[in-house]
Amino acid sequence: QVQFVESGGGLVQPGGSLRLSCTASGVTLDYYVIGWFRQAPGKEREGISCIRASDDNTYYADSVMGRFTISRDNAKNTVYLQMNSLKPEDTAVYYCGTALDDYYCSGSPRSGYDFWGQGTQVTVSS
């Protein structure tokens, strides 16, 4: 059974850091484009970062550029999102999505992704 599960969320103070994980089971992760998305209450889902399958090139939305880093560990079948300098406006449920074509990671991820998990809540508050 194919599964992708997000984890690593929590409550953090402004300026703090978290590392989110998207772990695959039942499938080899390195064949997939992985995108990280988030959805805050009352807002549409926003694609914030992605990593390509063929060359591990990465893309970031302007809102997270310079603060977030996406990376892939194929040995652990996991993609990470390291989030630094967190702001209250980063508060959201974070999801990882998968795509099978690098085309969908030619900029900030938008369409073409499948979503598997329930997401992980990130709350940035003092």
Side-chain angles (χ1 to χ4, degrees):
Q1 182 180 2
V2 176
Q3 283 188 313
F4 291 85
V5 178
E6 305 95 343
S7 62
L11 172 64
V12 63
Q13 292 186 341
S17 298
L18 285 173
R19 188 178 75 164
L20 305 185
S21 299
C22 174
T23 301
S25 59
V27 68
T28 301
L29 186 72
D30 50 349
Y31 294 124
Y32 287 85
V33 176
I34 302 296
W36 279 101
F37 298 76
R38 66 186 181 186
Q39 188 165 21
K43 295 188 176 181
E44 292 187 355
R45 185 167 55 200
E46 173 191 17
I48 57 172
S49 183
C50 58
I51 184 166
R52 293 162 60 116
S54 64
D55 55 14
D56 281 354
N57 274 357
T58 59
Y59 291 89
Y60 299 92
D62 288 345
S63 57
V64 305
M65 181 81 72
R67 300 187 298 123
F68 290 11
T69 303
I70 190 171
S71 62
R72 182 195 296 270
D73 186 338
N74 289 334
K76 295 184 177 180
N77 233 17
T78 298
V79 168
Y80 300 102
L81 185 69
Q82 178 67 43
M83 307 188 298
N84 298 329
S85 302
L86 282 162
K87 305 175 181 180
E89 51 263 44
D90 294 319
T91 295
V93 179
Y94 284 69
Y95 302 88
C96 63
T98 63
L100 291 174
D101 193 317
D102 283 347
Y103 167 81
Y104 297 107
C105 188
S106 300
S108 293
R110 293 183 176 85
S111 62
Y113 286 80
D114 294 317
F115 296 91
W116 305 79
Q118 300 299 310
T120 186
Q121 175 71 47
V122 172
T123 302
V124 185
S125 174
S126 55

